[in-house]
Amino acid sequence: MTHLHLIPHTHWDREWYLPFQEFRLKLIHLVDQLLAILHDQPEFTAFMLDGQTIVLEDYLEVRPERIAEIKRLVQEGRLIVGPWYVLPDEFLVSPESLIRNLLVGREICTRFGACMPVGYLPDPFGHIGQMPQLLQGFGIRFASLRRGLGDAFVELVWKAPDGSSVLVSYLRDGYDNAARAPVLPEAFKDFILRLRDSLAPYAASSHLLLLNGTDHHEAQPEIPSLIEQYDVTDDQLSISTLETYFESVEQEIQQGAIELPVISGDLRDSSRHHLLPGVLSSRTWIKQRNHACETLLERWAEPFSALAQLLLGDPDPVTRWTGHLATPRLSGTEEVLKTAWRMLLACHPHDSICGCSVDQVHREMSPRFDQVAQIASEVTRQSLQDLADAVDTRELARQKARGALVIFNPCEFERSDWVEAIFELSAGLDPFELLDLDGSSIPYRITSRSGRSLTDMELDADGLRAMLGFVQGGEVMGLTVQDVALIEETEMITVDVTVAEEIPANLEAVERGMQEVLAALDSFPDHRYRLIARFATQVEIEFCAPQVPGLGYRALALVPSSNAENQRANSQGNTIENDRFKVTIEEDGTITLTDKTSQRQFANLLQFYDVGERGDSYTHSPVGVSDERLRPVHMSQPHVQSLPGGEVIEYELKFQIPESLMPDREGRRETTVELPVQVKAQLIDGVPRVDIELTVINAARDHRLQVIFPSGIACENALYGGSFDLVGRPTSLPPFNQEWIEDPVVEQPMRNFILTTRNDGGLLIASRGLREASVTAGGEIAVTLLRCFGWLSRDDLPNRKGGAGPQLKTPQGQELGEHDFSLSLVPFDGDPVKAIQQAHAFQTVLLGLGTGIHPGKLPLQSALVRPDSSYFHVTACKSTTAGRLLVRGVNLSHKDLDLNLELSFDIQEAWTANLDEVQQEQLPVKEARAVHLKCRPKEVKTIVLTPGSA
């Protein structure tokens, strides 16, 4: 008996070749019709709504009166929803984003009463190797997918690097194999038989999947009647669900002791189904904006809002002056951040994040990114400011500090690194000196200054006494006094007063300051006095902070000084160096990097390679391929500038490249345009990286621009940063033939870095938001900067059979204009684990905020959450709805890992949890502030901590 499971469904791209609102009108029509069919035909037993729950929100926002009807159908099992919020691309979003996607999907499904227990992934462009572990973390034992596999069986076991596995249904004939079924009974019968006979030779069980749906496919009301008339002996055809199918397959396999083929790792085979790898580099700005938003949420807003709530409790509702009337820290930021996550997840459907939609779709993504960044940045600012204000800074008064600067580090390991800080100069702090806790001076530079002076006058003692009489109750002329400082000099005493509008006076500071001034007037009646009254000056500075604790902070002293900021020296030259590296700019614009510790040298770095692009938003199809690199037609004289604790070298390269393709798209025009590239390379003492900023002004169409780093390390495999993983990928192409539907490519997905290595070390290249890279067998690393195209899809590409969507023009896919790229070079010796930490550190600049000299709950420095193993990478630190702290990380090593998670606060109890945040096993707490963990290789571990004394 062959069991044919026919599953009516739709695959819903909520924005693609039409923008969202136009597709939503189609969705409303589809669901309206579907609800009518389900109401009128009880025999139409089930319809699958594409495994994503955002379509429910999209529909019910317009049809709110139908929510009860939809809930009833979901609970009856006739409308199948979940488990995802959106169907994402798996390589272009962070692994935490995939978890939040499933969490939001699960939350919505819970409200509606049921969730499909299948990891339905019909259309993403390949699959990450850790997906089985992610699905198992939500109690999902089954997965159904199409792309990424070749000539494989339809039932498979997919194993993750940690050993987790799921039962897979490979949709080898597509998620649309039974779409648009004929409505005449005999034609329908022939249609089903063809589908059965295509799949049966590749099935280990008697159960076959027939998916009656495709992109934006509406339900076919004739299906129940056609099934009833299907009269093939030994065939059982019925409307079914994926859950029913999987349970039937699993039972038959177990009863028959059938051993299924096992697959593992990333799934990126392009022989049978289009993998469409060019989406990794389509519209690079989308990848960069998404990366910035994910970093803000995951590394800043979530952990520090959670730690502020845990360490400080509910916030003080009184607004404080911070340079403008700022919103104080909110309580319950979990819901605010969920709002930001939902907006970001709405950018993660594969057609959206991949950059393979019409221009209007991607224009509409930009304000979503903006709003996510607004929420995450403000939550971060509020949380960091409250934490800074809670640091006990009184000890800094021994250094004569009149303020403090608190530096925050979102990485789980201690680091010395570049800081961007913003604070107000309290009275008497202009100019100022920045001191470490041991009293040593830290150089800095001011990048921004804004303030407003009210008065600056010279007075005798009697005149000053008269002016003091205007101060009543901490107010003067309708303004409130915030601080008063007395600065004694040989010939004159300066009284520096800061004032504000619309907020209460700082009466403590007023009383202290007035007493100091009156005492000075009594002691020095013959002195001249200078009275300065001003609104607080806000400054932004940059410097390198030493040894900031992991997932923690360090306070520095702001001390009055007679000197202004550190002077910067400028010069011409072609070399910069620090304690670790020497960087030399060669005459052709390339970089030679010398590691002074190992004496290893990397030459010819930062070459540029440009090739014609006849492809589309899905596929790179090169024109005029050669091994020649771009040679600059002009190179400016390198300019060296000293930095606080380092040096930066800047220069410009100008290239000439063809302006576009020829009209026949078979070659590039002889007419050229200028391609300017501004290069800035930076070295900071104590930071084992070379950070590079590139600014490219693109005026050419139809081309792909890459930057090349020859490592000189021959290798059969290179290591790519992956999702909860380090992924080894071969440097050579797999054997293939012209029967493949799509040629394989050397370019591969990377998260934040790529490296080549041998036993004695190697070279790592990190980036912010660039997602496509490749490595040759000779160790040459290429990172794609821009891929410029003018079509959504074309059907005339020599390296891909057929189109991938409608043939529509996408002029904004040409990426004209200015683009900024951030990369970092990290040479390393031996084990790359420290280099990988630098790749993670490169993703975030340390942040500093100012505070006063005051008592507080917190010490001058602290690592708030710290694993004692460098192989355990923390990927999440956030509040749970129950007021607990959740910490998640992954063991990136190939060995079992025993480690302690050390905390700066007491905890009552600790539990492991699944990725769905359901608690599992209680963990022993060591001395109230540490938890011991054991992790399998590549295991993702989630720990939930209850704060307080045991």
Side-chain angles (χ1 to χ4, degrees):
M1 174 74 70
T2 301
H3 299 85
L4 302 172
H5 296 257
L6 189 139
I7 299 182
H9 77 103
T10 190
H11 175 58
W12 196 259
D13 300 299
R14 71 192 298 262
E15 51 186 21
W16 177 25
Y17 59 83
L18 295 175
F20 164 63
Q21 294 295 356
E22 291 185 45
F23 264 136
R24 176 150 72 171
L25 296 177
K26 295 178 180 294
L27 175 68
I28 294 166
H29 186 272
L30 182 150
V31 178
D32 283 349
Q33 294 292 97
L34 173 63
L35 295 180
I37 291 169
L38 296 178
H39 178 271
D40 296 339
Q41 298 189 59
E43 63 275 17
F44 203 120
T45 55
F47 186 91
M48 182 173 66
L49 212 50
D50 203 30
Q52 53 180 324
T53 54
I54 197 169
V55 293
L56 294 176
E57 293 183 334
D58 292 344
Y59 176 76
L60 289 169
E61 187 176 30
V62 179
R63 295 275 197 264
E65 71 279 5
R66 308 203 75 163
I67 186 169
E69 182 180 5
I70 287 178
K71 279 186 175 182
R72 175 178 56 79
L73 290 168
V74 170
Q75 292 165 13
E76 291 174 353
R78 298 186 66 197
L79 189 60
I80 312 301
V81 298
W84 297 97
Y85 183 52
V86 301
L87 290 182
D89 182 88
E90 299 170 33
F91 292 97
L92 292 173
V93 305
S94 74
E96 278 297 327
S97 290
L98 295 173
I99 292 173
R100 308 315 168 86
N101 193 332
L102 285 165
L103 281 170
V104 175
R106 176 67 57 90
E107 177 187 324
I108 293 172
C109 287
T110 299
R111 292 206 308 267
F112 280 86
C115 183
M116 181 173 71
V118 177
Y120 187 56
L121 293 161
D123 206 28
F125 308 143
H127 305 280
I128 61 170
Q130 285 282 33
M131 183 56 70
Q133 185 176 182
L134 267 61
L135 295 176
Q136 283 283 8
F138 282 79
I140 297 172
R141 298 180 292 113
F142 310 124
S144 184
L145 54 89
R146 173 178 61 136
R147 302 186 197 268
L149 289 170
D151 192 22
F153 284 88
V154 296
E155 303 106 339
L156 303 163
V157 174
W158 186 14
K159 187 172 288 188
D162 77 315
S164 303
S165 64
V166 292
L167 176 61
V168 167
S169 170
Y170 170 36
L171 307 176
R172 61 173 285 129
D173 287 352
Y175 60 76
D176 54 355
N177 64 336
R180 303 183 183 93
V183 296
L184 296 176
E186 199 60 34
F188 178 77
K189 176 180 175 180
D190 293 341
F191 175 73
I192 297 296
L193 289 175
R194 285 197 304 274
L195 301 178
R196 181 200 66 183
D197 293 344
S198 176
L199 290 173
Y202 301 95
S205 75
S206 64
H207 298 272
L208 302 177
L209 265 181
L210 311 180
L211 282 90
N212 174 231
T214 188
D215 302 359
H216 314 110
H217 187 279
E218 297 197 353
Q220 290 189 255
E222 305 88 356
I223 290 296
S225 174
L226 292 168
I227 288 176
E228 187 178 359
Q229 298 176 70
Y230 184 80
D231 58 355
V232 177
T233 306
D234 293 332
D235 277 3
Q236 184 183 69
L237 175 63
S238 61
I239 291 178
S240 186
T241 66
L242 283 179
E243 181 179 9
T244 299
Y245 163 80
F246 272 108
E247 289 177 346
S248 302
V249 169
E250 185 177 54
Q251 182 180 9
E252 187 172 317
I253 287 172
Q254 290 174 352
Q255 290 176 348
I258 300 170
E259 188 170 338
L260 296 179
V262 177
I263 56 175
S264 61
D266 291 356
L267 306 182
R268 295 193 61 80
D269 188 306
S270 61
S271 61
R272 186 173 179 85
H273 298 285
H274 292 142
L275 192 63
L276 308 174
V279 299
L280 298 172
S281 54
S282 294
R283 305 182 197 254
T284 305
W285 72 267
I286 293 175
K287 283 69 169 173
Q288 291 174 302
R289 291 295 309 277
N290 179 69
H291 174 78
C293 289
E294 288 176 332
T295 302
L296 268 173
L297 285 169
E298 296 170 17
R299 309 307 295 172
W300 288 109
E302 284 191 330
F304 286 104
S305 64
L307 291 167
Q309 181 66 34
L310 186 150
L311 295 170
L312 308 180
D314 289 332
D316 181 354
V318 178
T319 302
R320 291 178 305 282
W321 179 259
T322 58
H324 49 81
L325 289 178
T327 305
R329 177 168 62 94
L330 301 177
S331 59
T333 54
E334 298 89 353
E335 294 305 316
V336 176
L337 293 174
K338 281 183 180 179
T339 298
W341 268 114
R342 285 190 182 221
M343 281 191 287
L344 186 58
L345 291 173
C347 294
H348 288 181
H350 48 284
D351 297 301
S352 305
I353 195 69
C354 288
C356 55
S357 296
V358 293
D359 291 343
Q360 181 64 28
V361 164
H362 300 303
R363 285 195 295 269
E364 291 174 6
M365 292 174 68
S366 187
R368 288 183 222 151
F369 287 134
D370 291 343
Q371 292 175 69
V372 173
Q374 291 161 15
I375 294 172
S377 296
E378 177 60 13
V379 169
T380 298
R381 186 203 61 78
Q382 293 175 12
S383 304
L384 297 186
Q385 190 63 65
D386 262 23
L387 287 166
D389 291 344
V391 174
D392 188 342
T393 56
R394 290 173 294 179
E395 187 176 332
L396 299 180
R398 297 180 181 178
Q399 300 175 333
K400 299 183 179 180
R402 292 197 59 83
L405 193 60
V406 183
I407 313 305
F408 293 92
N409 173 17
C411 295
E412 70 271 14
F413 47 86
E414 180 183 277
R415 59 192 272 215
S416 300
D417 219 323
W418 198 242
V419 179
E420 293 177 355
I422 183 169
F423 57 98
E424 289 180 343
L425 295 176
S426 60
L429 260 184
D430 195 2
F432 65 91
E433 188 176 8
L434 188 61
L435 299 182
D436 202 350
L437 298 180
D438 62 3
S440 58
S441 181
I442 297 175
Y444 67 89
R445 67 173 178 178
I446 295 177
T447 58
S448 174
R449 173 190 289 268
S450 61
R452 182 154 51 107
S453 176
L454 292 175
T455 187
D456 186 343
M457 63 180 70
E458 188 176 324
L459 303 164
D460 59 16
D462 289 339
L464 181 58
R465 286 183 188 275
M467 295 300 294
L468 294 181
F470 287 102
V471 181
Q472 300 292 326
E475 296 188 7
V476 56
M477 299 176 64
L479 303 173
T480 59
V481 179
Q482 299 299 307
D483 200 4
V484 180
L486 200 69
I487 305 166
E488 297 184 15
E489 300 174 9
T490 304
E491 301 294 332
M492 183 176 293
I493 296 175
T494 299
V495 180
D496 188 358
V497 181
T498 56
V499 297
E501 298 174 296
E502 300 180 5
I503 60 173
N506 186 339
L507 295 178
E508 181 181 345
V510 172
E511 183 178 354
R512 184 199 69 242
M514 293 288 280
Q515 289 176 354
E516 291 178 356
V517 173
L518 291 172
L521 288 170
D522 290 340
S523 301
F524 307 103
D526 297 327
H527 265 58
R528 299 294 293 174
Y529 290 86
R530 180 186 180 193
L531 176 62
I532 300 173
R534 60 185 173 84
F535 290 98
T537 299
Q538 181 173 279
V539 296
E540 297 180 27
I541 67 172
E542 294 179 330
F543 63 97
C544 182
Q547 299 173 318
V548 183
L551 248 175
Y553 64 89
R554 183 176 189 179
L556 304 174
L558 292 168
V559 178
S561 171
S562 59
N563 298 318
E565 63 174 303
N566 313 98
Q567 297 300 309
R568 299 188 294 275
N570 300 313
S571 64
Q572 291 185 344
N574 69 334
T575 299
I576 58 173
E577 57 185 307
N578 66 359
D579 55 333
R580 176 70 185 271
F581 301 124
K582 179 180 178 181
V583 171
T584 302
I585 310 304
E586 306 296 345
E587 292 183 356
D588 61 355
T590 62
I591 287 176
T592 298
L593 170 59
T594 303
D595 187 333
K596 298 195 300 192
T597 301
S598 67
Q599 299 305 310
R600 182 181 287 119
Q601 191 173 83
F602 300 92
N604 298 311
L605 304 176
L606 206 71
Q607 300 178 51
F608 293 91
Y609 180 43
D610 190 78
V611 65
E613 174 65 87
R614 62 168 294 173
D616 54 26
S617 64
Y618 295 98
T619 301
H620 169 56
S621 188
V623 175
V625 178
S626 73
D627 292 330
E628 293 183 5
R629 303 297 188 254
L630 290 179
R631 297 185 181 276
V633 296
H634 172 77
M635 176 180 167
S636 68
Q637 176 67 42
H639 176 78
V640 177
Q641 183 182 53
S642 65
L643 294 176
E647 290 183 305
V648 62
I649 189 166
E650 298 183 59
Y651 58 100
E652 183 182 51
L653 301 170
K654 290 183 178 179
F655 305 100
Q656 289 288 331
I657 63 173
E659 68 173 355
S660 65
L661 291 181
M662 295 288 286
D664 63 4
R665 302 181 62 82
E666 295 296 329
R668 304 180 78 178
R669 292 183 186 272
E670 293 185 4
T671 308
T672 62
V673 295
E674 187 175 85
L675 181 75
V677 180
Q678 293 277 352
V679 181
K680 181 170 76 171
Q682 177 173 292
L683 285 176
I684 301 297
D685 292 336
V687 181
R689 305 188 311 262
V690 183
D691 293 345
I692 295 177
E693 298 290 328
L694 301 176
T695 298
V696 177
I697 301 177
N698 178 48
R701 293 171 169 81
D702 311 319
H703 69 116
R704 185 183 72 175
L705 179 66
Q706 293 179 301
V707 60
I708 309 294
F709 304 93
S711 72
I713 299 173
C715 52
E716 294 183 0
N717 290 277
L719 275 179
Y720 293 72
S723 296
F724 292 130
D725 200 4
L726 298 176
V727 183
R729 296 197 174 99
T731 55
S732 59
L733 290 174
F736 72 101
N737 59 58
Q738 296 305 314
E739 297 303 314
W740 282 33
I741 196 167
E742 181 181 80
D743 294 359
V745 297
V746 296
E747 293 80 19
Q748 299 292 334
M750 70 170 179
R751 281 296 307 149
N752 297 325
F753 61 88
I754 182 174
L755 63 94
T756 58
T757 183
R758 57 190 174 213
N759 292 335
D760 61 343
L763 178 66
L764 178 147
I765 307 297
S767 79
R768 294 181 190 149
L770 300 176
R771 293 291 179 250
E772 181 177 277
S774 63
V775 182
T776 67
E780 187 173 82
I781 300 170
V783 178
T784 303
L785 302 178
L786 291 173
R787 195 172 68 80
C788 307
F789 52 85
W791 294 87
L792 179 71
S793 177
R794 294 187 65 90
D795 58 7
D796 59 353
L797 306 187
N799 53 341
R800 187 188 74 206
K801 292 182 173 63
Q807 191 159 310
L808 300 172
K809 290 185 178 181
T810 55
Q812 290 182 344
Q814 297 287 7
E815 298 278 58
L816 301 177
E818 184 173 308
H819 301 269
D820 296 317
F821 306 103
S822 299
L823 298 131
S824 190
L825 316 181
V826 191
F828 60 92
D829 299 327
D831 191 329
V833 62
K834 293 298 183 182
I836 291 170
Q837 283 190 336
Q838 284 302 311
H840 292 310
F842 177 64
Q843 307 309 314
T844 56
V845 174
L846 300 179
L847 297 181
L849 278 84
T851 190
I853 302 299
H854 47 60
K857 294 181 178 181
L858 304 179
L860 285 172
Q861 60 180 343
S862 179
L864 303 176
V865 178
R866 189 184 78 86
D868 64 1
S869 171
S870 56
Y871 292 100
F872 189 80
H873 174 48
V874 174
T875 62
C877 177
K878 69 186 189 81
S879 294
T880 71
T881 52
R884 299 181 177 91
L885 183 71
L886 181 147
V887 179
R888 180 162 39 249
V890 58
N891 172 14
L892 289 176
S893 76
H894 293 283
K895 299 178 180 179
D896 290 333
L897 192 62
D898 279 71
L899 74 148
N900 293 313
L901 188 68
E902 300 171 351
L903 311 161
S904 68
F905 47 88
D906 291 344
I907 52 175
Q908 295 181 30
E909 58 183 19
W911 296 75
T912 62
N914 284 339
L915 298 180
D916 61 5
E917 302 186 0
V918 175
Q919 293 184 9
Q920 296 297 304
E921 299 178 7
Q922 190 164 8
L923 295 169
V925 176
K926 301 173 62 177
E927 299 179 353
R929 291 195 169 192
V931 179
H932 182 254
L933 307 174
K934 292 185 177 182
C935 300
R936 301 187 307 274
K938 304 297 180 71
E939 181 183 9
V940 181
K941 203 81 169 184
T942 304
I943 306 99
V944 177
L945 306 168
T946 302
S949 301

